[in-house]
Amino acid sequence: AITWSSDSYVPPGYEGLALPTQGSQIKVFVLPTKKLSADPEKFTYRWLLDEEIIGWAGGQGKSVFSFPATKWPGDYHNIESQILNGENVIWRGFAEIKVSKAEAVLQLSNSDYALPEIFSARTGQTLKISATPFFFNTQDSSNLDFQWKLDEEELLNTDNKDFNIFSLTIPAGQLKESLIKTLNLFVSDKNNTDYQASSQITLEIQ
């Protein structure tokens, strides 16, 4: 079998797979599922990336192959690995790796669940909203820039030293009818603004 990993960013405690985004480094491993006639390190490996033989990646004992993701989000990299004994191919393995896009998940700071697309709030309420980034091409979230907007007005984050956390206080008072506001978050990589993600929720204030 073929398994893989990528070096895209995931938050501490996340137990899922770090999905590759464009520019991520993907590492692919061969794990033979049938008993081989010799030590796997003694065999010769051949790697194909998107149906092209990658000559420099192959050779004796080379059961690991790394490459940068170059496809657009939603497209796939197709991997084939071959194990050779002399000139004979004695094993083939395949993997299809989907390239994803970076994400930013909004949630209340005291909750483990993502906020719904429409969220009800009350006048006089203070909402402490956190943004959790996923799958950016960085190992450190401090390399990310967080921009918050309420409708079209940019919100300056003066209450928190952590820019991925925002406190929004809704003025007290009585409303004749519900007030609809749109909260937008834009996250970008400070070192490469091509890598970005956005999230949006509608606040229904009552």
Side-chain angles (χ1 to χ4, degrees):
I2 291 182
T3 187
W4 58 269
S5 65
S6 86
D7 66 352
S8 62
Y9 177 82
V10 292
Y14 177 72
E15 296 180 355
L17 194 62
L19 301 180
T21 49
Q22 195 176 54
S24 296
Q25 196 71 15
I26 300 173
K27 184 179 286 188
V28 189
F29 310 82
V30 170
L31 298 173
T33 55
K34 70 174 184 177
K35 186 173 179 61
L36 298 173
S37 59
D39 183 342
E41 293 302 311
K42 294 183 179 179
F43 286 111
T44 299
Y45 292 79
R46 179 187 291 152
W47 290 96
L48 288 81
L49 173 61
D50 299 322
E51 300 181 351
E52 291 188 15
I53 295 175
I54 309 301
W56 59 264
Q60 184 174 349
K62 290 192 173 182
S63 59
V64 179
F65 167 45
S66 295
F67 67 96
T70 57
K71 299 281 190 175
W72 291 100
D75 288 341
Y76 291 81
H77 279 297
N78 292 291
I79 308 296
E80 180 181 347
S81 180
Q82 301 173 356
I83 296 179
L84 292 84
N85 189 3
E87 295 298 318
N88 298 320
V89 176
I90 61 173
W91 181 88
R92 278 187 172 89
F94 302 88
E96 196 175 53
I97 303 174
K98 184 178 182 179
V99 177
S100 298
K101 60 181 179 179
E103 299 177 12
V105 177
L106 294 175
Q107 58 198 96
L108 294 178
S109 291
N110 59 354
S111 171
D112 293 328
Y113 298 97
L115 283 169
E117 292 182 3
I118 301 176
F119 181 75
S120 295
R122 301 182 307 275
T123 57
Q125 185 177 6
T126 295
L127 301 175
K128 196 169 186 180
I129 299 172
S130 67
T132 304
F134 288 84
F135 314 137
F136 280 86
N137 294 323
T138 181
Q139 297 301 306
D140 189 347
S141 62
S142 66
N143 292 328
L144 301 177
D145 184 52
F146 296 82
Q147 181 187 35
W148 300 83
K149 285 186 176 182
L150 188 62
D151 289 339
E152 294 302 315
E153 181 182 354
E154 184 170 353
L155 302 172
L156 298 178
N157 197 348
T158 57
D159 296 337
N160 295 287
K161 63 180 180 180
D162 298 316
F163 294 109
N164 68 313
I165 299 176
F166 193 85
S167 291
L168 177 65
T169 299
I170 302 168
Q174 295 287 330
L175 294 175
K176 292 183 179 179
E177 57 184 27
S178 295
L179 184 64
I180 304 298
K181 293 285 185 179
T182 302
L183 180 67
N184 287 285
L185 168 70
F186 302 92
V187 185
S188 59
D189 189 326
K190 295 175 183 176
N191 300 315
N192 189 338
T193 54
D194 288 340
Y195 300 129
Q196 52 188 282
S198 63
S199 281
Q200 176 181 292
I201 59 170
T202 298
L203 294 174
E204 185 177 5
I205 303 170
Q206 300 172 337

